[in-house]
Amino acid sequence: MQISANAQAIAYLVSAVLFILSLKGLTHPASARRGSYLGMAGMAIAIVATLLGSEVQSYGFIIVGVVVGAVIGIVVAMRIQMTAMPQLVAALHSFVGLAAVLVAIGTFLNKRDAGLLNAVLMGELSAGAIIGAITFTGSVIAFGKLQGLISGKPVKFALQHQLNAAIAVITIALGVHFAMTGSVVSLALMTLLALVLGVTLIIPIGGADMPVIISMLNSYSGWAAAATGFTLQNNLLIIVGALVGFSGAILSYIMCRAMNRSIINVVFGGFGSDGGAAQSAGATAMEKGIRSASVEDAVYWMEDANRVIVVPGYGMAVAQAQHALKEMMELLEANGVEVKFGVHPVAGRMPGHMNVLLAEADIPYDHVLEMDEINPEFASTDVTLVVGANDVVNPAAKDDTSSPIYGMPILEAGRSKQVYFLKRSMNPGYSGVDNLLFYQQNTSLIFGDAKDTIEGMVAALKGTGH
Amino acid sequence: MPDTLVALYVFVLACFIGYWVIWGVTPSLHTPLVALTNAISGIVIVGALLVAGLESAGTFAEITGFFAVLLASINVFGGFLVTNRMLAMFKKKDK
């Protein structure tokens, strides 16, 4: 069976509409699953319409490629731990990038053999190959940082920005040369340099800025798809590319706003994770006198509280403490205590990371509130439990104009009657900034692994036999 | 109007749709959003199919197309599956 080009175009249009509705579904958790199914339908229609079109005639490589890819994709998606989601996403971004590069090269070869090359087409090809290559190696580096294969610290060296700018200019010049002459050497060199650029652009960005990196690479993968669409004169790819590109761009903007930093500052800043400063800040913290508390102290106050707010951070993910938190929530609720979770936009290693982990532990999403929703509630809250978060509750962001994080919107945990910080050590957060909340009268620190501490609280809550 | 200009029209208008749709996404679903956009950017599979499926394609182009199909398929299948897995976890309180 074969369909006409017009029928194919109509199918692509239906597919594009389904993708838009799919993203629209994420407006609310209740409609989100339907959104995902609409996206799957859109993808199925697009693939079938392409296969039935007149251009696709040989199916051998396609069948093997799809089957192998599907098996790998399904196995990985079934097995992946929710805490490892940022790594998976980075890996998947790299695949889109590499696929875009391969499509550009393959299209070039096919069009050249058919004698259909022209300057506009080759210019679009260059754009697809360059953006795809940057997405590919950039995502590989992001994956390495998230997986701990390479250091999460920003890698900085002299003349870094000048080097990047030089590579970018030469890459584009090669792209222009390729578009005008069709030189294979230019195409190869251009792709190679773009691959290098992906590494040098992402390596100076610190681990603390991972939510921004993930969002940015998400955006790049969209633009790569859009550029591929221009090359192939395929409106579906252009539409989807624009949707994904904008999605990533908006997420980057939201993440940057939540840190009160510009995207330029994140990309070129190389912020945070300075080991030396961290040590000295920790040392001075000990001298300034902080209060440490026991699990029983915290449980004593929580049991009689009207409301407890939990502020989770990346430390909760590392300790896998979300399931213990759910148990604690249930015990407290059985005692008539209202339990809520307050999530800062940049908590964790990717946008919305905490929400997924809490959902994984079966914590209902209507218990989990955004920063703007939860902030007015702290003042009337008896106990706030900060689990593995740090910078996002630091009052220095509001009060200390000399602080590097000054101006960053924070969760106002310090306004609650009691604040308990679950911490592994006195090291400050990723920003390397001392946390003023530690020294507040109403703050106590509970040292230890977050999961052990919360399990201790669960045991204590059970022990009291309410 | 030349084809490339039509494509540009489509692109710019799609950017506006993207802008408005994405701002409506609730922040609690930002991780599924990244996973879902990841899955649908697997749409480059269309380009990959065109490269790999061309009857007159040379061996090198065919191999290039094969790997592009494979990588994009990982995205499509893995991306949607992991999105569904995540979304299945978002539940309201049992009444």
Side-chain angles (χ1 to χ4, degrees), chain A residues 12 19 22-24 26-27 29 32-33 36 39-40 43 50 55-58 61-62 65-66 69-70 73-74 77-78 80 82 85 88-89 92-93 95-96 98 102-103 106-107 109-110 120 124 218 230 232-240 242-244 246-247 250-251 253-254 333 351-353 355-356 359-360 362 364-365 370, chain B residues 3-4 7-8 10-11 14-15 17-19 21-34 36-55 57-58 60-62 64 66-93:
Chain A
Y12 284 161
F19 285 134
S22 168
L23 293 172
K24 183 86 185 141
L26 295 188
T27 309
R33 289 193 83 180
S36 176
M40 291 167 78
M43 185 62 73
T50 309
E55 290 134 308
V56 178
Q57 296 293 349
S58 80
F61 278 106
I62 289 177
V66 169
I74 289 169
M78 294 293 287
I80 193 80
M82 285 303 141
M85 198 52 66
L88 176 70
V89 163
L92 290 176
H93 284 151
F95 296 160
V96 175
L98 186 54
L102 293 173
V103 170
T107 306
L109 294 170
N110 284 344
V120 174
E124 290 162 345
N218 186 237
F230 275 97
L232 300 167
Q233 294 288 345
N234 185 311
N235 287 328
L236 176 61
L237 262 72
I238 294 175
I239 294 170
V240 171
L243 293 175
V244 175
F246 249 90
S247 173
I250 288 174
L251 285 178
Y253 171 76
I254 293 174
E333 283 181 338
H353 196 184
N355 301 80
V356 167
E360 184 198 11
D362 272 336
Y365 63 76
E370 311 304 328
Chain B
D3 288 348
T4 308
L8 194 62
V10 171
F11 176 70
C15 282
I17 295 175
Y19 180 84
V21 170
I22 301 302
W23 271 114
V25 172
T26 169
S28 64
L29 292 178
H30 276 166
T31 293
L33 172 66
V34 174
L36 182 65
T37 50
N38 212 319
I40 70 173
S41 61
I43 195 71
V44 290
I45 196 169
V46 167
L49 295 174
L50 294 177
V51 172
L54 191 78
E55 204 163 30
F60 186 61
E62 268 183 328
T64 310
F66 166 73
F67 280 107
V69 169
L70 196 158
L71 290 168
S73 305
I74 298 178
N75 249 279
V76 169
F77 287 90
F80 278 116
L81 190 62
V82 88
T83 307
N84 286 341
R85 248 188 83 191
M86 271 191 278
L87 292 176
M89 299 184 313
F90 280 84
K91 293 187 204 93
K92 261 190 145 144
K93 191 180 168 72

Side-chain angles (χ1 to χ4, degrees), chain A residues 270-283:
Chain A
F271 190 72
S273 290
D274 189 316
Q279 284 305 319
S280 62

Side-chain angles (χ1 to χ4, degrees), chain A residues 193-223:
Chain A
L193 275 184
L195 291 170
V196 173
L197 192 58
V199 175
T200 55
L201 275 178
I202 300 299
I203 203 122
I205 306 180
D209 291 331
M210 268 305 159
V212 186
I213 302 185
I214 295 274
S215 313
M216 260 170 48
L217 292 168
N218 186 237
S219 182
Y220 291 175
S221 70
W223 304 131

Side-chain angles (χ1 to χ4, degrees), chain A residues 11-288:
Chain A
Y12 284 161
L13 179 61
V14 172
S15 169
V17 171
L18 286 171
F19 285 134
I20 294 169
L21 294 175
S22 168
L23 293 172
K24 183 86 185 141
L26 295 188
T27 309
H28 195 272
S31 60
R33 289 193 83 180
R34 191 181 64 221
S36 176
Y37 293 136
L38 290 174
M40 291 167 78
M43 185 62 73
I45 291 172
I47 291 174
V48 170
T50 309
L51 289 175
L52 293 180
S54 58
E55 290 134 308
V56 178
Q57 296 293 349
S58 80
Y59 293 93
F61 278 106
I62 289 177
I63 292 168
V64 179
V66 169
V67 169
V68 175
V71 169
I72 297 174
I74 289 169
V75 169
V76 172
M78 294 293 287
R79 292 198 174 166
I80 193 80
Q81 292 263 327
M82 285 303 141
T83 39
M85 198 52 66
Q87 289 94 304
L88 176 70
V89 163
L92 290 176
H93 284 151
S94 77
F95 296 160
V96 175
L98 186 54
V101 174
L102 293 173
V103 170
I105 293 171
T107 306
F108 167 72
L109 294 170
N110 284 344
K111 299 274 181 190
R112 187 185 62 179
D113 293 347
L116 293 171
L117 288 178
N118 60 60
V120 174
L121 173 71
M122 287 191 289
E124 290 162 345
L125 265 172
S126 306
I130 292 173
I131 303 172
I134 294 174
T135 309
F136 171 52
T137 47
S139 301
V140 169
I141 297 296
F143 175 83
K145 288 194 179 209
L146 287 162
Q147 189 71 27
L149 300 175
I150 51 178
S151 165
K153 286 181 187 173
V155 178
K156 288 163 131 180
F157 46 87
L159 296 177
Q160 194 157 30
H161 304 324
Q162 289 85 341
L163 178 76
N164 284 343
I167 298 177
V169 168
I170 298 171
T171 307
I172 293 169
L174 285 166
V176 172
H177 183 255
F178 165 69
M180 294 191 317
T181 62
S183 153
V184 180
V185 178
S186 291
L187 174 66
L189 279 179
M190 175 196 83
T191 310
L192 213 63
L193 275 184
L195 291 170
V196 173
L197 192 58
V199 175
T200 55
L201 275 178
I202 300 299
I203 203 122
I205 306 180
D209 291 331
M210 268 305 159
V212 186
I213 302 185
I214 295 274
S215 313
M216 260 170 48
L217 292 168
N218 186 237
S219 182
Y220 291 175
S221 70
W223 304 131
T228 308
F230 275 97
T231 312
L232 300 167
Q233 294 288 345
N234 185 311
N235 287 328
L236 176 61
L237 262 72
I238 294 175
I239 294 170
V240 171
L243 293 175
V244 175
F246 249 90
S247 173
I250 288 174
L251 285 178
S252 310
Y253 171 76
I254 293 174
M255 294 299 114
C256 286
R257 189 181 59 180
M259 297 192 294
N260 190 38
R261 296 170 59 200
S262 70
I263 186 86
I264 306 287
N265 180 283
V266 173
V267 174
F268 300 116
F271 190 72
S273 290
D274 189 316
Q279 284 305 319
S280 62
T284 49
M286 297 309 283
E287 287 161 19
K288 282 194 232 170

